[in-house]
Amino acid sequence: MATTENLHAGDASKTKFSFTFPYIQEADVKVYLFVTDAWVLKTLTTHYTFANATTIQFVSAPAAADSDEQTALGDTNNIKIKRLTDSDSLSGTFYPGSAIRSSDLNDNFTQNLYVTQEANNNVTTATTDAAAAVVTADAAVVTADAAETTADAAVVTAD
């Protein structure tokens, strides 16, 4: 599975966070902070800038996840840097009678590769989440069945 996102933990002092995935343009890199119980998209220049090609620098240092957020996250990583490649338009466009440049072809294939990697990671995450939901639902059924049995016994006792 290709790396399309990196997670970090805020500590209220660190402002720079690196990421390891390639991207086509800066607009494809999205930065999120986990707040209360949801990932919140941050805005380039308002909340962060690019310190260099592989490092995000926040305007103000993100705080550490509080205990409720850690419980919701399952860990302390409350910063997400993620690649979301544009899938609505091609990087390079070809016109009748014009030269086809290898760089345009390569850009289009790279864009297609990145979109495919991101989709594959989303499917993998969705499958994992669905499997966990099934386990939780099965446990809820067992609990409900036990409650029904207890309720039936209480009715018999009451009668």
Side-chain angles (χ1 to χ4, degrees), residues 69-121:
E69 291 168 343
Q70 289 179 25
T71 300
L73 286 166
D75 62 28
T76 61
N77 291 323
N78 62 339
I79 300 165
K80 183 189 297 187
I81 304 170
K82 184 175 185 170
R83 184 183 72 209
L84 290 173
T85 307
D86 177 25
S87 62
D88 294 331
S89 59
L90 291 173
S91 295
T93 304
F94 306 103
Y95 299 97
S98 66
I100 296 177
R101 300 181 320 171
S102 62
S103 62
D104 289 337
L105 288 171
N106 288 335
D107 288 347
N108 283 354
F109 279 100
T110 299
Q111 179 185 17
N112 187 34
L113 173 66
Y114 290 173
V115 169
T116 302
Q117 288 172 340
E118 293 156 14
N120 184 49
N121 286 352

Side-chain angles (χ1 to χ4, degrees), residues 13-34:
S13 63
K14 185 178 176 184
T15 59
K16 291 183 180 179
F17 299 90
S18 63
F19 57 95
T20 59
F21 52 81
Y23 58 94
I24 297 171
Q25 54 187 350
E26 286 183 354
D28 296 341
V29 178
K30 307 297 182 192
V31 177
Y32 300 85
L33 287 180
F34 194 83

Side-chain angles (χ1 to χ4, degrees), residues 132-146:
V134 167
V135 168
T136 302
D138 289 345
V141 168
V142 169
T143 302
D145 289 345

